[in-house]
Amino acid sequence: MVMSCAASMPAYALDATPSGKITTIEVAAATNYAFRVYLNGAAAALCPSGSGFAYLNEADSNYKVYVASLLMAKAQGSAVTLVVSNEGGFCHIVQMAVGS
């Protein structure tokens, strides 16, 4: 029974967990790295061999919750920790936490 549950969970190659305050937010088309965030406390690349931004696409699970949380963190000046996966040289957000 445990094996069937584990087999149905998505497998992510987690590449980094950058943290910092959001400096910039960019919005693009639904599948073009739709919601992008840049952090002030992170290196130039947010994941190894990745871009300077981390992104979500509209089709991502909990997209609206992620976007609302990231916008609130930006508005309040809260730090965020992102868990990202390097996908084609771009840092895809797969999990996050908002701090103070």
Side-chain angles (χ1 to χ4, degrees):
M1 186 62 83
V2 172
M3 289 299 285
S4 65
C5 291
S8 66
M9 295 175 61
Y12 296 110
L14 304 179
D15 292 308
T17 55
S19 296
K21 291 186 179 181
I22 299 169
T23 59
T24 305
I25 292 175
E26 293 179 341
V27 180
T31 58
N32 185 26
Y33 315 109
F35 190 85
R36 306 168 191 178
V37 294
Y38 295 80
L39 303 181
N40 71 345
L46 295 182
C47 55
S49 303
S51 61
F53 64 86
Y55 76 93
L56 294 162
N57 279 324
E58 190 175 35
D60 290 335
S61 176
N62 278 337
Y63 174 78
K64 292 179 182 180
V65 175
Y66 277 109
V67 169
S69 299
L70 290 164
L71 288 171
M72 184 60 74
K74 171 73 171 142
Q76 292 181 335
S78 297
V80 297
T81 299
L82 306 175
V83 178
V84 296
S85 174
N86 188 330
E87 296 181 17
F90 294 92
C91 306
H92 191 182
I93 299 170
V94 297
Q95 188 174 337
M96 63 166 282
V98 178
S100 55

